Amino acid sequence: MDSEGRSQRHYQVCLIGSGGVGTIASVVLAKSGRAHLTCVLRSKYSYVSQHGWDVDSVDHGKLSGWKPHRIVRSAADAATDENGDQVTYDYVVVCTKQLPNLNPVVGMIAPVMTPGRTTVVMIQNGMGIEEEIIKAWPGNVVMSSVSHIGSSIQEPNMVVQVGKDVSKMGPHLHTGVDDSTSIEKAREFVDMYLSGGASVCEMVEDIQVARWEKLLWNGTFNTVCALMRMDVGELQRSKGRESMLVPMMWEIWNISKAAGHPMPESIVQWMAYRLPDDCDYRPSMLLDLENGRPMELEVILGNALKKAQELGVNTPHMTTVHKLLKLEEWRCQERRSL
Amino acid sequence: MDSEGRSQRHYQVCLIGSGGVGTIASVVLAKSGRAHLTCVLRSKYSYVSQHGWDVDSVDHGKLSGWKPHRIVRSAADAATDENGDQVTYDYVVVCTKQLPNLNPVVGMIAPVMTPGRTTVVMIQNGMGIEEEIIKAWPGNVVMSSVSHIGSSIQEPNMVVQVGKDVSKMGPHLHTGVDDSTSIEKAREFVDMYLSGGASVCEMVEDIQVARWEKLLWNGTFNTVCALMRMDVGELQRSKGRESMLVPMMWEIWNISKAAGHPMPESIVQWMAYRLPDDCDYRPSMLLDLENGRPMELEVILGNALKKAQELGVNTPHMTTVHKLLKLEEWRCQERRSL
């Protein structure tokens, strides 16, 4: 029992995807002392299973050769334990890039899902990403974390976290599960995450609002910086903030309102003007483009635009930027296939 | 008298701007035998006044060291003849790039304009470019040539014309001049131009329709190829033609219709699908961007968008592409000012 009288339950947790976000999440979950943590690493399996991670973190300090309880090469390997017995996971935490066309989450997590039991935690970008999961496991709790963290991997096994791990978490309520159950499972995960030393982890009632808020950034700075090959400061100094980003933010604001998840009006001004004009930050989609990697275009703009069309919201800037980034995507694919 | 009984009048002609288009126009006018041709060359004055042009042309064959009657360094120098006497020009032919913010045509041609006398011939891209001229010289005839020609300069003095000189010409009728006078002056210029051996030079009643037709190309392929750094074939293979260009063409089609200069509907399909998917043509605006030169953005998209706004025509794709190219323009200016 903890000081508030809650039982300190332990959970079987499987975490998939160890980029900057996922690796710090795995440190948090392991530090909580409440999770038996199995991490699925793909490209980094060989190196990290041998050497562990070297972590340099604003939240957790320096760790050398750090490992979770178990490291496996695939979700299929995570499905059974070292003795070959089936593992029933309480939580599957998905921290991969959201690429529904290349690597859909449903197929990725299927081996570690127990219907009616496993809660899916999506620490991922994008809109509407929970829908496929709920469709595939209609009796399972699905929750999201909308995370703001500055963290990245330096090859081969260094995790550098410069920005604090601040997140909002909450369940996606759906008809297949009692709301009280969804809320309870989400609350337990938040408690575990907080006790692992995350900077801020807030449980919110309407996680969709948090997703739309994050889209104000991801759908605007992230996409237009990528398209224009500009860093944040360049885009601001070019007046692209006024001509493009703010109009796009209002388009997003209008969709979220029409979808029943209104944001405060003041958030547009805040989101547009919070960074200085000499900020040389290069958002993730720009880095993806520059490195010929797939972008999270569909979950960031595509799904929001589907919602806009459904609801009859006018989105001229977003629509055009989405179409232009599809051309970039085509070019990346062409180059990869050479 | 020629075979049709018209007098073979001779004209004082001043031609400004000797890029690929202007140099071939000067060859045509000189060959007509009806023009005393003064060419204003700026960057190329020293070399060409000494060595002339070397021309390799599908219309005119090979010419070596070719020169017009007179080459001068500025419009001010063109204003007086070799004896210092004022020249009264019948035609001023403007073949420069259209950069209203950097190099407005009114200031450029003022020294060679005689009010009430000189006809201005604009062999230039863009919409609404005649308006400033008419405002400055309300008693003068203003006409346009909408030219399709494949011609370029190779340093220092080689003109290579690979595509035939096909143009439509016609007057911009306005209240300061009798329509019959405008039509007569335009007709005389077309006659002179045809007798100089241009492939096709058609006199049209509504030159605005020809300008809108050309904008179907310049406002779409030219702008999106530049923005995406793609050649024509890449843009087509990426499906950008279907997602971006055809919708933009219909936006242009709608503006032209609202402006009272309707184009046939079939022209959109023709313009969008006339080139093969392996076409590696790099339109002028893309070349300008790649070489850090100013683009003709305002006369191509800016003026059309002003017209659209005036007339209440919806232009989501054009508006966004224009805004994004303004960011490119900002970046070019930044780099030039370094």
Side-chain angles (χ1 to χ4, degrees):
Chain A
M1 303 287 268
D2 68 7
S3 61
E4 292 173 25
R6 283 183 289 222
S7 70
Q8 297 257 357
R9 282 194 55 196
H10 280 68
Y11 306 99
Q12 281 286 356
V13 180
C14 179
L15 185 143
I16 305 180
S18 281
V21 174
T23 308
I24 295 299
S26 67
V27 171
V28 172
L29 290 167
K31 274 178 69 184
S32 79
R34 302 193 195 169
H36 183 276
L37 183 63
T38 301
C39 286
V40 179
L41 268 64
R42 288 161 298 181
S43 60
K44 301 212 160 296
Y45 173 80
S46 302
Y47 197 93
V48 174
S49 59
Q50 205 180 335
H51 303 279
W53 292 105
D54 292 334
V55 178
D56 185 355
S57 157
V58 289
D59 288 338
H60 310 285
K62 285 183 200 276
L63 306 169
S64 177
W66 180 85
K67 288 185 192 179
H69 303 99
R70 194 178 168 215
I71 295 177
V72 295
R73 192 193 293 273
S74 69
D77 287 353
T80 52
D81 65 15
E82 290 86 343
N83 306 318
D85 295 329
Q86 189 74 28
V87 183
T88 301
Y89 284 102
D90 299 294
Y91 292 98
V92 169
V93 183
V94 192
C95 304
T96 57
K97 220 162 129 179
Q98 260 288 0
L99 301 169
N101 301 325
L102 290 176
N103 198 8
V105 173
V106 167
M108 191 193 304
I109 67 175
V112 287
M113 288 295 292
T114 305
R117 168 70 184 268
T118 311
T119 292
V120 180
V121 186
M122 313 184 89
I123 311 187
Q124 296 183 288
N125 279 326
M127 297 309 303
I129 58 175
E130 73 283 4
E131 291 171 13
E132 290 297 308
I133 312 297
I134 294 170
K135 207 186 288 174
W137 293 282
N140 288 46
V141 176
V142 178
M143 62 181 285
S144 270
S145 165
V146 178
S147 161
H148 298 262
I149 186 176
S151 178
S152 59
I153 304 290
Q154 290 172 6
E155 295 299 328
N157 68 330
M158 181 83 195
V159 192
V160 181
Q161 184 198 353
V162 294
K164 284 170 171 296
D165 184 3
V166 174
S167 59
K168 292 182 179 181
M169 297 190 186
H172 295 281
L173 303 179
H174 62 96
T175 53
V177 179
D178 283 349
D179 287 1
S180 61
T181 306
S182 289
I183 291 166
E184 187 196 332
K185 298 284 186 193
R187 165 63 64 197
E188 286 177 29
F189 187 84
V190 169
D191 284 347
M192 169 166 54
Y193 205 83
L194 272 172
S195 64
S199 281
V200 178
C201 175
E202 186 189 347
M203 169 96 179
V204 295
E205 220 169 283
D206 189 347
I207 188 68
Q208 296 292 5
V209 174
R211 286 219 165 272
W212 285 108
E213 283 173 5
K214 185 144 192 217
L215 197 72
L216 284 182
W217 170 269
N218 270 331
T220 60
F221 277 98
N222 205 357
T223 59
V224 180
C225 282
L227 182 60
M228 298 305 297
R229 307 290 197 285
M230 285 179 172
D231 65 29
V232 165
E234 285 177 302
L235 192 48
Q236 295 184 176
R237 296 197 302 280
S238 73
K239 308 290 176 213
R241 172 165 53 186
E242 287 72 23
S243 68
M244 286 294 303
L245 303 183
V246 170
M248 288 176 86
M249 286 183 186
W250 283 113
E251 290 174 10
I252 292 168
W253 193 91
N254 285 330
I255 310 170
S256 75
K257 189 178 176 200
H261 306 285
M263 296 181 269
E265 287 195 19
S266 57
I267 198 173
V268 168
Q269 182 75 8
W270 178 79
M271 194 61 94
Y273 287 88
R274 74 199 172 104
L275 294 177
D277 275 2
D278 61 354
C279 170
D280 63 359
Y281 181 63
R282 303 178 83 75
S284 63
M285 216 180 258
L286 171 58
L287 295 177
D288 285 341
L289 253 193
E290 287 178 331
N291 292 288
R293 295 184 303 239
M295 298 176 288
E296 294 184 302
L297 180 58
E298 282 319 297
V299 296
I300 286 178
L301 280 185
N303 288 354
L305 286 169
K306 275 182 213 153
K307 188 60 81 180
Q309 195 160 27
E310 237 177 83
L311 300 166
V313 179
N314 196 24
T315 53
H317 296 84
M318 286 170 77
T319 300
T320 307
V321 169
H322 179 248
K323 286 179 174 187
L324 293 169
L325 283 172
K326 293 297 280 184
L327 308 189
E328 292 284 3
E329 198 168 77
W330 172 86
R331 176 157 50 196
C332 273
Q333 280 161 5
E334 285 282 294
R335 286 180 183 164
R336 277 200 302 272
S337 67
L338 284 180
Chain B
M1 305 287 270
D2 70 6
S3 61
E4 292 172 26
R6 281 183 292 222
S7 71
Q8 296 256 358
R9 280 193 55 194
H10 280 69
Y11 306 98
Q12 281 286 356
V13 180
C14 179
L15 185 144
I16 304 179
S18 280
V21 174
T23 308
I24 295 299
S26 67
V27 171
V28 171
L29 290 167
K31 274 179 69 185
S32 78
R34 302 193 195 170
H36 183 274
L37 183 63
T38 301
C39 286
V40 178
L41 267 64
R42 287 159 301 180
S43 60
K44 301 211 161 297
Y45 173 80
S46 302
Y47 196 93
V48 174
S49 60
Q50 203 179 337
H51 302 279
W53 292 105
D54 292 335
V55 178
D56 185 356
S57 156
V58 289
D59 288 338
H60 310 286
K62 285 183 199 276
L63 305 169
S64 178
W66 179 85
K67 289 185 191 179
H69 303 99
R70 193 176 167 216
I71 296 178
V72 296
R73 193 193 294 274
S74 69
D77 287 352
T80 51
D81 64 16
E82 290 87 342
N83 305 318
D85 295 328
Q86 189 75 27
V87 182
T88 301
Y89 284 102
D90 299 294
Y91 293 97
V92 169
V93 183
V94 192
C95 304
T96 57
K97 222 162 128 180
Q98 259 288 359
L99 301 169
N101 301 325
L102 291 176
N103 198 7
V105 173
V106 166
M108 190 193 304
I109 67 175
V112 287
M113 288 294 293
T114 306
R117 166 71 183 268
T118 310
T119 292
V120 179
V121 186
M122 313 184 89
I123 311 187
Q124 296 184 290
N125 279 325
M127 298 309 303
I129 58 175
E130 73 283 3
E131 291 171 12
E132 290 298 307
I133 312 296
I134 294 170
K135 206 185 290 174
W137 293 283
N140 288 46
V141 177
V142 178
M143 62 181 284
S144 270
S145 166
V146 178
S147 162
H148 297 262
I149 186 175
S151 179
S152 58
I153 304 290
Q154 290 171 6
E155 296 298 327
N157 68 330
M158 180 82 195
V159 192
V160 181
Q161 185 197 354
V162 294
K164 284 170 171 295
D165 184 3
V166 174
S167 59
K168 292 182 179 179
M169 297 191 186
H172 294 282
L173 303 179
H174 62 94
T175 53
V177 180
D178 283 348
D179 287 1
S180 60
T181 304
S182 289
I183 292 166
E184 186 195 331
K185 298 283 186 194
R187 166 61 65 197
E188 286 177 31
F189 187 84
V190 169
D191 284 347
M192 169 165 55
Y193 205 82
L194 272 171
S195 64
S199 281
V200 178
C201 175
E202 186 189 346
M203 169 96 177
V204 296
E205 219 170 283
D206 189 347
I207 190 67
Q208 296 291 5
V209 173
R211 287 220 163 270
W212 285 108
E213 283 173 5
K214 186 145 192 218
L215 197 71
L216 284 181
W217 170 269
N218 270 332
T220 61
F221 277 97
N222 204 359
T223 59
V224 181
C225 282
L227 183 60
M228 299 304 298
R229 307 290 198 286
M230 284 181 172
D231 65 30
V232 166
E234 284 176 303
L235 191 49
Q236 295 184 176
R237 296 197 302 280
S238 73
K239 308 290 175 211
R241 172 166 53 187
E242 287 72 23
S243 68
M244 285 295 304
L245 303 184
V246 170
M248 288 176 85
M249 286 183 186
W250 283 113
E251 291 174 9
I252 292 168
W253 193 91
N254 285 329
I255 310 170
S256 75
K257 191 179 174 198
H261 305 286
M263 295 181 268
E265 287 194 18
S266 58
I267 198 173
V268 168
Q269 182 75 8
W270 178 80
M271 195 62 94
Y273 287 88
R274 74 199 173 106
L275 294 177
D277 274 3
D278 61 353
C279 170
D280 62 359
Y281 181 64
R282 303 178 83 74
S284 63
M285 216 180 257
L286 172 57
L287 296 177
D288 285 342
L289 253 192
E290 287 178 331
N291 292 289
R293 296 186 301 242
M295 297 176 287
E296 295 184 301
L297 181 57
E298 283 319 297
V299 295
I300 285 178
L301 280 185
N303 288 354
L305 286 169
K306 275 182 213 154
K307 188 61 78 176
Q309 196 160 25
E310 235 177 85
L311 299 167
V313 178
N314 196 24
T315 53
H317 296 86
M318 286 170 76
T319 299
T320 308
V321 169
H322 179 248
K323 286 179 174 186
L324 293 168
L325 283 172
K326 292 298 280 183
L327 309 188
E328 292 285 2
E329 199 168 76
W330 171 85
R331 176 157 50 196
C332 272
Q333 280 161 5
E334 285 283 295
R335 285 180 184 164
R336 277 201 301 273
S337 67
L338 284 181

